Amino acid sequence: MPTELAVLLVGVAARQAASPTARAQARLALVAPVEQLLAPAHGAFHGLAAAALIRWQKE
């Protein structure tokens, strides 16, 4: 591979890795292991919705 082409490809890869979309996607992958997503500490998949249902049941 010609040196100029290699330098160009490295530059493109660096710009793509620094893009807001790539950074957001990387943060999504590091949020929590899959096991925690399927068994959250509060016991509900959507904490606010669960709290609203509990309040509604008490009425």
Side-chain angles (χ1 to χ4, degrees):
M1 175 182 299
T3 305
E4 294 84 12
L5 179 58
V7 170
L8 177 66
L9 291 176
V10 167
V12 168
R15 282 193 301 278
Q16 286 180 340
S19 74
T21 304
R23 287 183 284 147
Q25 190 68 29
R27 283 193 302 271
L28 288 175
L30 297 175
V31 170
V34 173
E35 294 83 18
Q36 287 181 357
L37 292 174
L38 296 177
H42 50 69
F45 285 104
H46 192 280
L48 294 175
L53 286 172
I54 290 170
R55 284 192 309 271
W56 175 74
Q57 287 177 344
K58 291 180 181 178
E59 291 179 357

